[in-house]
Amino acid sequence: MKFIEIGIKRMQARFFHVQLALIVGALLLSPVSNAGNHTSGSQSTEAARKQKMERFINDLLKRMTLEEKIGQMNQVGGTFANTGPINPLSDQGKEMREGKIGSVLNLAGVDGIRKIQKVAVEETRLHIPLIFGLDVIHGMKTIFPIPLGEAASWDLSAMERSARIAAIEASAMGVNWTFAPMLDIARDTRWGRIAEGAGEDTYLGVQIAKARVKGFQGDDLSKNNTIAACAKHYAAYGAAIAGRDYNAVDMSEITLRDTYLPPFKAAVDAGAATFMSSFNTLNGVPATANEFLLRKVLKGEWNFNGFVVSDAGAVGELIPHGLAADGIEAARAAANAGLDMDMGSNQFLQNLPDLVRKGLVPEKVIDDAVRRILRIKYELGLFQDPYRYCDEQREKTELLTPEHVAAARDMARKSIVLLKNDYHLLPLKKSIGTLAVIGAMADSQGDMIGCWGGGGDAKDAVSILQGIRSAVSSQTKVLYAKGCEIEANAPEDFTPALDIARQADVVVMTLGESGGMTGEAHSRANINIPGNQEALLKEVIKLGKPVIVLLTNGRPLTISWVADNVPSIVETWFLGSQAGNAIADVLFGDYNPSGKLPVSFPRVLGQVPLCYNELNTGRPLAEHPGDFFRSRYNDVSNDALFPFGFGLSYTTFEYSNLRLSQNVLTKDGKLQVSVDVKNTGYRSGEELVQLYIRDYYASVCQPTRLLKGFKKLAIEPGQTKTVTLTLTPEDLKYHNSKMEWTVEPGKFGVFVGGNSQNTLNEEFVLK
Ligand code: NOJ
């Protein structure tokens, strides 16, 4: 066993007994496998394994000094070590040797990680391995679409596979913990981090949370190619006031529990190993020190067994928040509230020892946090082999493999949403004569990676132009001009772009944002198409050529003029390493688009925040004629430009014959909802059938539509398929004013269709 050999060779005599105890402990405990995912007949084995684990941890805890315990709760940035082992003279090197660091973030690469792990396991008193965390958000080397883009596929198994591949590649580079998935429901497109999540809907967010946790963690966390997931940012971060990143959040407990928390609860149920608290205050109390969120809900009601890490520097930020006067108060507040690990602010390390000695933080609080952290290290198999994720061979062979690249292309094409396609302009023939490709993003490889690119390299990404060039026939002439920059303060010369547009049969133009315009700290007060891009488009349109717009964006943008004036619009987000190829697959019809928006596109900024599942109000738009009796804007309609769930195909689908198995649902009953979907076009295609409900009268008013099910199916031209989705009373539950998760009898609506607005309707009664 590698670890034993290395361990014994390097072991210093004074550490001998401890080291041996750990090795013997590890041997006794093997094989290590993850909780909760075992096949039948293994329940008692699993219980026994857990008992052993708890014994091991308790035993270790007994031998730890207070400082060593608090060291486990301390995470430091690891960039210092990118080029080699920790400098023994640096403070961090000294702290690590004293057992004052439990985790390192922002490092990747087997060589560097192995060297640092060695310091922890061979040069500290108790030899406790480190856990290495990194933001592996949508791929490590093989980059998949940004999470919002992936969500547009609504394909849960593809998203699970994308996370699985990210875990394989991250773990091949020494990383054993990702700060993902990001589970923040987001309805304000000004917020740049909308790109990192699953969009506006809770039900879809729940399904995606489960898929991604499963993808990262697999069925056994101790395998060397699975990594610990981190459900973030807990909680309600996506509701930052005015869409400004890091801003305060103020919301009712009902909204919090019904809309923002369910994806996090789903992550706990799916076995997520860790959580990250969010930067924001929630109703005045920063999430970092929010006892309600951390102790009452997460660790209490949900019985979460893993650990919670703060967001970067957030314990220290309790001071500017105005919760704590200094680092001492900050550390005290966060630890007592239930935060287990301090990411990078050093406040735990500096202040908790004294706080415990003075009785201001009970030692049992520290013990609980450390137990949780050691548990995850144990589950990852790090006590058995601290170098489990340091396999040089894997690092050479498991990155950017043809299989991973193919999966990225598949995921990318599934994430594309066709927003408009008048006169069947798309798909184009590969034998088309002359194609003009214009746009600031058209020949960019790096931007295709989008925000949080992991270890992705621009050179490994396929630009849109490259994808188009490799798809067209050898006779086709592809002309390219950048046209303009993404952002510009002065007019630009459009001549080269207009020259090539004049020569073209069809113009393909990118429009939108650059890859770095969304993500953390990238909120915008304007959500229009930046710079001179729209002005350029207007000039191109004047030439009278057919124009196809490819949107590149990490958030919904206001594109009303484009929607009114351009025949074909394709939402391409930032699709990752295979962006160009995937886009070409759609442009030339090798793939029939099937994505649907996971987020509403507003018409104008003033509609934001916008989502499909609003309350009816006492003066709903549809039901009253007079101005004072309609909840509406006087200058723009209420609805989205492109609604949640919307997306076209190269074929068309017709819905008919919506029927319910019965019109009365009993409290322990089931309702089958069936609909016929016919492919009325000339190509085979896939359609995402969506099921929404409405609870017409309840003690807490409910939205006019709530997604409760969906199913994607492939249908041949002329063929009709029947889809059946099931509803149970559990699907109808919500929190009442007493915070009870409940359902009340009464009339419900059922809506089925290809988007959230255009549906067939039925009704039933819950008895
Ligand atoms: C801050 C971000 O909010 C969070 O999402 C990320 O995981 C950490 N930094 C670590 O990079």
Side-chain angles (χ1 to χ4, degrees):
M1 191 180 179
K2 222 168 172 182
F3 171 48
I4 297 179
E5 281 165 21
I6 296 166
I8 289 178
K9 213 159 74 197
R10 307 273 166 153
M11 214 181 289
Q12 295 174 13
R14 68 181 189 282
F15 298 144
F16 185 80
H17 63 284
V18 187
Q19 183 87 0
L20 194 64
L22 276 174
I23 293 166
V24 171
L27 286 174
L28 280 174
L29 294 160
S30 66
V32 176
S33 56
N34 189 24
N37 295 305
H38 291 263
T39 46
S40 62
S42 64
Q43 267 176 4
S44 56
T45 327
E46 178 54 13
R49 187 190 73 81
K50 281 195 167 167
Q51 264 179 16
K52 275 185 186 171
M53 171 172 76
E54 297 301 330
R55 272 205 303 274
F56 174 85
I57 291 168
N58 283 333
D59 177 53
L60 186 51
L61 206 60
K62 273 189 217 133
R63 288 185 276 127
M64 294 172 83
T65 63
L66 179 61
E67 278 72 13
E68 283 165 340
K69 289 178 187 173
I70 291 163
Q72 287 302 305
M73 300 166 72
N74 182 35
Q75 184 185 53
V76 299
T79 38
F80 62 93
N82 266 340
T83 51
I86 287 179
N87 173 356
L89 300 175
S90 80
D91 275 359
Q92 279 184 336
K94 186 168 170 289
E95 280 174 356
M96 187 165 291
R97 288 180 173 84
E98 289 170 1
K100 291 181 176 169
I101 295 176
S103 171
V104 175
L105 85 150
N106 280 347
L107 267 191
V110 166
D111 187 44
I113 287 182
R114 179 185 279 283
K115 283 172 180 156
I116 293 173
Q117 189 70 297
K118 241 178 189 173
V119 177
V121 296
E122 294 181 19
E123 297 184 43
T124 64
R125 195 179 72 89
L126 290 176
H127 316 283
I128 300 174
L130 298 162
I131 176 171
F132 290 89
L134 185 75
D135 291 283
V136 183
I137 308 295
H138 53 115
M140 183 68 195
K141 279 283 169 196
T142 309
I143 305 298
F144 287 77
I146 55 167
L148 187 66
E150 282 196 355
S153 75
W154 297 55
D155 188 328
L156 301 173
S157 51
M159 281 181 262
E160 183 182 329
R161 186 171 52 155
S162 150
R164 184 85 283 284
I165 290 171
I168 290 171
E169 295 196 351
S171 59
M173 294 185 73
V175 174
N176 43 38
W177 178 23
T178 177
F179 304 127
M182 193 274 225
L183 305 179
D184 301 308
I185 298 296
R187 295 164 170 195
D188 192 325
T189 172
R190 290 172 294 186
W191 192 54
R193 306 201 78 170
I194 197 169
E196 298 173 46
E200 73 186 37
D201 184 67
T202 305
Y203 180 87
L204 181 58
V206 162
Q207 313 309 319
I208 293 178
K210 290 192 267 189
R212 289 193 168 136
V213 168
K214 205 162 162 232
F216 288 126
Q217 299 196 164
D219 58 2
D220 181 348
L221 206 50
S222 77
K223 282 186 184 158
N224 71 351
N225 67 5
T226 57
I227 60 179
C230 181
K232 74 182 190 187
H233 307 83
Y234 184 70
Y237 185 36
I241 292 172
R244 212 179 66 222
D245 205 8
Y246 316 126
N247 204 3
V249 173
D250 212 275
M251 82 172 44
S252 73
E253 191 173 337
I254 288 186
T255 301
L256 179 73
R257 287 185 181 270
D258 275 357
T259 304
Y260 288 83
L261 292 189
F264 290 97
K265 169 71 165 60
V268 173
D269 294 344
T274 73
F275 261 56
M276 185 188 291
S277 54
S278 53
F279 281 127
N280 55 284
T281 55
L282 175 64
N283 304 329
V285 182
T288 314
N290 194 311
E291 198 173 337
F292 166 78
L293 283 176
L294 300 176
R295 286 216 190 279
K296 181 167 190 291
V297 177
L298 178 61
K299 294 179 176 177
E301 293 173 23
W302 300 348
N303 210 10
F304 174 64
N305 245 337
F307 70 86
V308 185
V309 64
S310 75
D311 204 336
V315 179
E317 288 172 20
L318 294 175
I319 304 168
H321 265 305
L323 188 97
D326 53 27
I328 302 169
E329 282 187 11
R332 178 188 177 185
N336 282 339
L339 185 82
D340 304 309
M341 187 182 277
D342 170 0
M343 183 191 279
S345 89
N346 229 25
Q347 299 298 351
F348 274 9
L349 188 69
Q350 276 174 17
N351 300 310
L352 283 181
D354 258 4
L355 283 163
V356 174
R357 281 191 276 269
K358 287 182 182 145
L360 295 170
V361 173
E363 189 151 0
K364 68 175 193 326
V365 164
I366 305 294
D367 286 351
D368 176 60
V370 176
R371 206 171 261 125
R372 289 167 179 274
I373 293 163
L374 296 178
R375 201 176 276 145
I376 299 307
K377 291 185 174 182
Y378 185 100
E379 295 281 14
L380 283 164
L382 290 169
F383 285 109
Q384 196 185 42
D385 178 3
Y387 306 110
R388 173 157 294 184
Y389 303 87
C390 293
D391 179 339
E392 288 77 4
Q393 195 49 31
R394 285 193 59 215
E395 193 172 40
K396 285 193 196 114
T397 55
E398 296 189 16
L399 306 178
L400 272 168
T401 63
E403 190 201 332
H404 294 179
V405 172
R409 183 168 179 162
D410 181 56
M411 184 81 250
R413 13 196 245 183
K414 285 179 169 152
S415 305
I416 292 172
V417 185
L418 182 64
L419 294 178
K420 192 176 174 194
N421 195 22
D422 284 356
Y423 328 114
H424 299 288
L425 176 55
L426 285 170
L428 299 172
K429 287 204 168 70
K430 287 183 182 169
S431 58
I432 186 167
T434 303
L435 204 58
V437 179
I438 299 173
M441 286 297 101
D443 197 24
S444 172
Q445 291 171 275
D447 284 282
M448 296 299 104
I449 288 175
C451 56
W452 294 111
D457 285 328
K459 68 168 175 41
D460 298 322
V462 181
S463 78
I464 294 170
L465 184 64
Q466 288 168 338
I468 289 175
R469 284 213 161 113
S470 47
V472 292
S473 73
S474 51
Q475 290 80 40
T476 303
K477 230 165 128 185
V478 179
L479 307 171
Y480 161 72
K482 187 170 182 184
C484 63
E485 299 297 331
I486 283 281
E487 292 178 283
N489 299 321
E492 289 164 281
D493 179 11
F494 297 155
T495 319
L498 297 177
D499 279 350
I500 65 160
R502 264 184 217 100
Q503 299 168 51
D505 299 305
V506 171
V507 178
V508 173
M509 188 165 164
T510 70
L511 216 62
E513 301 181 318
S514 61
M517 284 181 73
T518 38
E520 187 182 350
H522 284 87
S523 294
R524 290 179 65 202
N526 293 301
I527 50 164
N528 54 353
I529 298 163
N532 294 319
Q533 297 179 85
E534 205 165 304
L536 171 60
L537 173 70
K538 286 178 180 165
E539 294 305 312
V540 172
I541 296 272
K542 281 185 196 156
L543 302 177
K545 304 281 176 158
V547 177
I548 294 155
V549 159
L550 303 178
L551 291 175
T552 61
N553 48 330
R555 56 157 67 83
L557 298 171
T558 45
I559 55 161
S560 291
W561 192 91
V562 186
D564 286 344
N565 293 282
V566 172
S568 288
I569 307 173
V570 185
E571 172 55 78
T572 73
W573 316 106
F574 295 103
L575 292 172
S577 311
Q578 284 293 299
N581 287 335
I583 290 168
D585 287 340
V586 165
L587 288 180
F588 300 103
D590 287 337
Y591 183 80
N592 187 354
S594 62
K596 302 266 188 175
L597 293 177
V599 69
S600 310
F601 267 55
R603 295 172 185 277
V604 296
L605 175 63
Q607 289 177 302
V608 169
L610 180 67
C611 68
Y612 77 94
N613 50 5
E614 296 188 314
L615 297 186
N616 204 35
T617 80
R619 298 183 172 193
L621 186 61
E623 291 166 28
H624 295 283
D627 279 350
F628 288 97
F629 292 94
R630 295 189 285 176
S631 169
R632 63 159 194 153
Y633 299 106
N634 288 336
D635 53 349
V636 70
S637 65
N638 284 6
D639 59 345
L641 178 66
F642 296 110
F644 175 82
F646 178 82
L648 301 172
S649 160
Y650 292 152
T651 189
T652 44
F653 300 101
E654 197 178 275
Y655 286 72
S656 64
N657 200 15
L658 175 63
R659 56 211 184 268
L660 309 182
S661 52
Q662 70 268 12
N663 289 97
V664 174
L665 178 61
T666 52
K667 282 209 162 150
D668 47 9
K670 268 189 183 147
L671 193 72
Q672 314 282 1
V673 180
S674 303
V675 72
D676 299 338
V677 187
K678 182 174 183 189
N679 181 338
T680 50
Y682 300 98
R683 300 174 64 104
S684 32
E686 287 178 289
E687 171 69 341
L688 182 89
V689 178
Q690 301 155 46
L691 164 69
Y692 299 84
I693 61 146
R694 175 172 177 187
D695 185 345
Y696 282 100
Y697 307 104
S699 59
V700 174
C701 301
Q702 295 297 303
T704 51
R705 293 261 198 291
L706 265 182
L707 182 71
K708 288 296 171 185
F710 58 86
K711 196 167 185 177
K712 202 176 232 189
L713 54 153
I715 316 180
E716 294 305 316
Q719 190 188 19
T720 300
K721 278 194 178 168
T722 300
V723 179
T724 300
L725 294 159
T726 304
L727 281 174
T728 69
E730 193 59 31
D731 296 311
L732 314 177
K733 286 189 173 169
Y734 52 85
H735 287 92
N736 66 15
S737 344
K738 291 185 202 144
M739 290 316 128
E740 292 158 342
W741 181 234
T742 187
V743 57
E744 293 161 6
K747 185 172 101 167
F748 287 79
V750 176
F751 309 83
V752 180
N755 66 61
S756 59
Q757 301 309 313
N758 191 5
T759 52
L760 300 174
N761 312 335
E762 266 295 342
E763 279 175 9
F764 70 91
V765 172
L766 178 75
K767 284 245 161 102

